[in-house]
């Protein structure tokens, strides 16, 4: 790898190159935590990891006038895997759309071709009290996987603005965004969802708005046609408004949720909240098998607590676990990190986002590094 800056190459070990995109707000802090965990795994599982940091988001805009410099795209595409923190913040909110940090996020997803966004959401029993759900519902837990289409739909469709004249002669401003999908885009993400369901509880729910949207009807047709290739997977369909409701009533019933870019964005925040904190949920964005994956926590840059050492690093550490599993083919290391994160929660370690009023459990309040140290100690 051309851009490796740290780490030593040893012949008997395989060397994997990871690009880190710290980004804005709490991004650099949580990336620092995940890097420590990855380094610990490298030692334990006998791989050599090299790391390069590249600029993205507001930080990149401040440094070179663009939130997604070409150099960053090139480095990411040449890596074995990419781990991102978060982008965005009030300092860049007034910039025009293409220069906003969020554009960089969409841009890197598109440039890396990572159309499949896997967002597992688990309500750990240790955190039942942190979930906003009624205790009898929370007690039944939740363990679902959202397969969100990530490089198509309304996020990338034709859009524009126009001043138009109404029939009564009034002049008004109008704007449009377009939801458009083709069968190939639907099929490739649907196959991921079916395969994921095969390896889980064999239940797939397609979430759409087929009672209104033509694009949703194409999703239903395509998924129905594919279902015969996966006869052991039970398929059902839910309108997105109903799905939002059922997630609150019976989250334990969902296994794999397959959905479009925008619906997946919305439902994954809902699932995160059910799990107790948005600071817990990781994600993997994957494309063709031989291409690098992009891993990121689903939370944002939390500018209000940036730089204070308070951020919960678990979502980023769990994203690193997904990186170990999907890009580095180290499933044992991935499972060890996941087990360590659960153990830390069971032991009562709580960052600020997880502190539950009136919790009966004894808790240890920790900051970002305290939580990281706890994970590292359980990994050993
Ligand atoms: C996410 C985020 C992004 C998205 C934003 C920041 C563009 O909300 O990853 O869920 O909408 O995809
Ligand atoms: Mg989102």
């Amino acid at each position: 790898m051309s851009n490796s800056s740290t780490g030593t190459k040893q012949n008997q070990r395989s060397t994997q190159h990871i690009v880190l995109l710290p980004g804005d707000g709490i991004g650099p802090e949580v990336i620092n935590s995940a890097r420590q965990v990855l380094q610990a795994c490298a030692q334990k599982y006998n791989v050599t990891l090299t790391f390069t940091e590249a600029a993205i988001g507001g930080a990149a805009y401040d440094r070179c006038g663009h939130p997604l410099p070409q150099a960053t795209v090139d480095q990411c595409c040449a890596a074995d895997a990419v781990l991102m923190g978060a982008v965005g913040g009030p300092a860049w909110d007034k910039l025009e759309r293409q220069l906003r940090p969020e554009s960089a996020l969409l841009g890197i997803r598109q440039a890396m071709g990572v159309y499949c966004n896997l967002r597992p959401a688990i309500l750990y029993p240790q955190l039942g009290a942190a979930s906003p759900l009624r205790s009898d519902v929370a007690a039944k837990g939740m363990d679902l996987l959202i397969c969100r289409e990530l490089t198509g739909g309304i996020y990338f469709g034709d859009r524009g603005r126009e001043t138009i004249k109404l029939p009564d002669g009034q002049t008004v401003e109008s704007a449009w965004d377009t939801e458009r999908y083709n069968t190939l885009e639907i099929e490739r993400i649907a196959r991921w969802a079916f395969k994921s369901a095969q390896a889980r509880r064999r239940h797939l729910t397609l979430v759409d708005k087929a009672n209104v949207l033509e694009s949703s009807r194409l999703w239903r047709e395509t998924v129905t046609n594919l279902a015969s290739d996966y006869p052991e997977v039970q398929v059902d369909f839910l309108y997105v408004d109903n799905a939002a409701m059922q997630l609150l009533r019976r989250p334990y019933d969902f296994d794999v949720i397959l959905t479009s870019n925008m619906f997946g964005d919305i439902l994954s925040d809902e699932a995160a909240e059910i799990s107790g904190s948005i600071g817990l949920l990781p994600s993997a964005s994957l494309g063709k098998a031989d291409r690098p994956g992009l891993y990121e926590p689903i939370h944002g840059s939390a500018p209000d607590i940036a730089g204070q050492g308070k951020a919960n690093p678990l979502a980023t550490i769990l994203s690193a676990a997904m990186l170990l599993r999907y890009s580095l083919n180290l499933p044992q290391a991935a499972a060890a990190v996941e087990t360590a994160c659960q153990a830390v929660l069971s032991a009562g370690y709580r960052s600020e986002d997880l502190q539950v009023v009136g919790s009966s459990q004894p808790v240890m309040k920790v900051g970002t590094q305290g939580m990281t140290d706890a994970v590292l100690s359980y990994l050993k």
Side-chain angles (χ1 to χ4, degrees), residues 87 102-103 105-106 109 117 119 148 150 155 261 265 268-269 296-298:
V87 294
E102 291 82 357
S103 296
L105 184 51
L106 303 186
R109 288 170 179 171
N117 184 221
R119 298 188 160 186
R148 169 190 178 194
L150 201 63
Y155 272 57
N261 205 341
D265 176 45
S268 58
D269 270 24
E296 45 171 315
I298 83 154

Side-chain angles (χ1 to χ4, degrees), residues 23-105:
D24 307 319
I26 60 170
E29 297 162 66
V30 293
I31 284 292
N32 176 40
S33 295
R35 179 182 182 148
Q36 294 173 53
V37 170
L38 284 170
Q39 251 149 355
C41 288
Q43 283 212 323
K44 192 167 163 183
Y45 294 91
N46 206 37
V47 286
T48 302
L49 300 182
T50 59
F51 296 95
T52 312
E53 284 195 8
I56 195 166
Y61 176 81
D62 289 346
R63 220 175 298 164
C64 47
H66 197 278
L68 184 59
Q70 187 57 40
T72 295
V73 174
D74 294 343
Q75 288 182 60
C76 290
C77 290
D80 290 302
V82 180
L83 183 64
M84 205 189 78
V87 294
W92 308 283
D93 273 351
K94 295 211 169 69
L95 293 171
E96 58 180 298
R97 191 170 52 78
Q98 305 93 291
L99 294 179
R100 286 179 58 124
E102 291 82 357
S103 296
L105 184 51

Side-chain angles (χ1 to χ4, degrees), residues 41-302:
C41 288
Q43 283 212 323
K44 192 167 163 183
Y45 294 91
N46 206 37
V47 286
T48 302
L49 300 182
T50 59
F51 296 95
T52 312
E53 284 195 8
I56 195 166
Y61 176 81
D62 289 346
R63 220 175 298 164
C64 47
H66 197 278
L68 184 59
Q70 187 57 40
T72 295
V73 174
D74 294 343
Q75 288 182 60
C76 290
C77 290
D80 290 302
V82 180
L83 183 64
M84 205 189 78
V87 294
W92 308 283
D93 273 351
K94 295 211 169 69
L95 293 171
E96 58 180 298
R97 191 170 52 78
Q98 305 93 291
L99 294 179
R100 286 179 58 124
E102 291 82 357
S103 296
L105 184 51
L106 303 186
I108 194 69
R109 288 170 179 171
Q110 196 175 38
M112 292 178 70
V114 287
Y115 60 84
C116 171
N117 184 221
L118 301 176
R119 298 188 160 186
I122 300 176
L123 170 52
Y124 297 105
Q126 305 91 304
L127 290 179
S131 172
L133 292 188
R134 219 172 51 217
S135 58
D136 60 309
V137 182
K140 293 190 181 170
M142 172 179 78
D143 181 356
L144 59 80
L145 175 70
I146 296 178
C147 291
R148 169 190 178 194
E149 199 292 323
L150 201 63
T151 52
I154 198 163
Y155 272 57
F156 294 93
D158 177 46
R159 57 168 58 96
R161 273 179 179 251
E162 199 176 20
T163 307
I164 54 166
K165 211 170 196 179
L166 297 178
D168 68 2
Q170 261 193 88
T171 301
V172 290
E173 185 72 1
S174 75
W176 68 94
D177 301 274
T178 318
E179 175 87 337
R180 178 190 272 266
Y181 274 110
N182 64 49
T183 46
L184 287 180
E185 289 171 313
I186 301 168
E187 252 180 63
R188 60 186 187 179
I189 177 81
R191 287 202 186 275
W192 260 104
F194 275 108
K195 284 182 192 147
S196 304
Q198 280 178 324
R200 293 173 50 101
R201 303 196 306 279
R202 295 183 289 282
H203 179 196
L204 184 155
T205 305
L206 174 66
V207 171
D208 62 26
K209 190 68 186 171
N211 51 346
V212 177
L213 303 178
E214 195 55 39
S215 53
S216 286
R217 286 195 270 272
L218 187 62
W219 275 79
R220 279 204 186 197
E221 274 166 46
T222 309
V223 169
T224 304
N225 290 339
L226 278 186
S228 55
D229 289 354
Y230 308 88
E232 69 280 35
V233 176
Q234 179 205 329
V235 181
D236 50 35
F237 305 93
L238 274 185
Y239 299 141
V240 62
D241 49 348
N242 191 13
M245 187 167 68
Q246 299 305 330
L247 263 177
L248 299 178
R249 293 170 63 118
R250 47 178 187 94
Y252 45 83
D253 270 349
F254 290 90
D255 180 18
V256 173
I257 292 177
L258 166 64
T259 193
S260 64
N261 205 341
M262 187 161 69
F263 295 159
D265 176 45
I266 298 166
L267 292 180
S268 58
D269 270 24
E270 186 182 351
E273 187 56 32
I274 291 172
S275 79
S277 168
I278 199 161
L280 291 172
L281 261 62
S283 80
S285 304
L286 307 168
K288 292 209 177 98
D290 58 344
R291 304 295 308 135
L294 170 66
Y295 301 82
E296 45 171 315
I298 83 154
H299 62 66
S301 61

Side-chain angles (χ1 to χ4, degrees), residues 333-356:
V337 172
E338 286 158 358
T339 306
C341 289
Q342 282 211 44
V344 160
L345 294 172
S346 298
Y349 290 92
R350 296 287 182 271
S351 44
E352 221 166 64
D353 55 313
L354 293 172
Q355 280 165 30
V356 182

